[in-house]
Structure formats: C-alpha cells, structure tokens
Amino acid sequence: MRILDQKLFYYVVALVAYVLASQNQCTFSYARCKRQRFLSDDCGVSGKWMNQLNSTMELCCYKGNLFGKYNSAVGRAEDYYHLRGRYTVRGGDCILGWSIAYNNAAFGNSNSSSSWAGIHYADEGIIYTQWLLARYQQREHFWRAFHTNQDTFKRIC
C-alpha cells in the first residue's frame, strides 16, 4: 500500500508541476525534468533551445541520457516530436547526440527520421550540431533518401 501512496504522490506533484509550468513556457522543461525526478542538470543543456530556422527543442539530461521534444519550423510540423539521445561531459563541455522519428499526433508517420551530433561549450550557451535526415524512398531513388547539414541551437530558457 505504501508504494501505491508514493506513486499517487508523484502523480499529483507531476500534475501540479505541469499546470504551473504550462503558464510559463520557459520553466516547462525544468518542471518536466523534475516531474520525471531528473533533478540534476549534469550535462549543462537542460532547457529550451532554438536554432537558426526557429525550430525549438526542450532537453532534459540525466546520467548520460537525453530526453525531450523537438518542433521543426521547416515544413508543416504542428506538434512536437519525442527525442532521445546520449551525452558525455568533458571539462564542463557536453558532447551529445539525439534522434527523432517524424511521427506525431498531428501528422502521423512521416516515414523519416533525423539525428544530430554536437558539442555544447559550457562558457558559450550554444550547441553546434551536424544532422542527418533519412526519409523513405523507393529503391531506385535510394540516392535521394539522405540529407545533411548543420544547426546552431541557442538557449532561450
């Protein structure tokens, strides 16, 4: 019975944190991290970020794992996509990578995925990345299934 009470307590705390955080979008990712009991920012990148094309992402980090969501400003994205990744820290700087599958409630399965690899220098507040997008193509058009470029994400919260 005690475990059930503890789970109920965490659920209520999470619900309150979500309601409070939804009133202030800059604290949402931190409330989300706390709701999931990820109380530390041991990678230095937990928070909300925006790239040069106005795509946004929210990151939480805990013990080498990245969790979050991504919204692309390119194309017709109307909802966030879940992201997962890994990171390591060297001298305060964070080397990280994450992936998303373009499948959400607004558009369903877009038959594509993207991965980013990057570095966050602790004294700068910027994540420099290279990305690779893979989208489904028929075998005879396989050569056009991949796109690559770079993004620079700046912390906005």
Side-chain angles (χ1 to χ4, degrees):
M1 188 68 170
R2 181 179 159 100
I3 292 174
L4 182 60
D5 290 340
Q6 187 176 17
K7 286 183 179 183
L8 180 62
F9 172 77
Y10 282 120
Y11 175 77
V12 170
V13 168
L15 183 61
V16 170
Y18 176 77
V19 170
L20 292 175
S22 65
Q23 296 172 6
N24 180 352
Q25 74 180 50
C26 288
T27 61
F28 176 79
S29 60
Y30 295 108
R32 183 167 174 247
C33 289
K34 287 180 181 178
R35 183 171 69 241
Q36 295 175 353
R37 292 184 286 160
F38 302 147
L39 299 175
S40 67
D41 182 18
D42 59 345
C43 66
V45 298
S46 288
K48 192 166 185 177
W49 299 81
M50 181 181 290
N51 72 8
Q52 71 280 2
L53 300 173
N54 295 322
S55 297
T56 59
M57 68 176 172
E58 294 182 6
L59 294 176
C60 298
C61 61
Y62 183 68
K63 293 185 178 180
N65 295 295
L66 283 174
F67 307 90
K69 60 185 185 172
Y70 178 83
N71 184 275
S72 176
V74 179
R76 302 180 326 166
E78 292 182 13
D79 197 4
Y80 279 91
Y81 300 94
H82 297 285
L83 72 83
R84 297 290 182 266
R86 301 279 298 158
Y87 69 89
T88 187
V89 177
R90 179 172 191 229
D93 299 330
C94 183
I95 299 90
L96 65 160
W98 68 90
S99 297
I100 63 169
Y102 291 100
N103 189 344
N104 68 13
F107 288 108
N109 189 349
S110 298
N111 298 305
S112 60
S113 66
S114 290
S115 294
W116 288 257
I119 300 175
H120 170 260
Y121 296 103
D123 64 342
E124 200 170 30
I126 295 174
I127 302 173
Y128 298 96
T129 68
Q130 291 283 329
W131 55 262
L132 178 66
L133 167 71
R135 65 179 183 178
Y136 177 79
Q137 294 290 326
Q138 296 290 332
R139 190 174 314 241
E140 61 271 13
H141 300 292
F142 177 76
W143 60 271
R144 60 182 178 187
F146 302 97
H147 301 272
T148 187
N149 209 329
Q150 60 186 13
D151 280 328
T152 302
F153 289 90
K154 294 183 180 178
R155 186 186 297 275
I156 56 175
C157 295

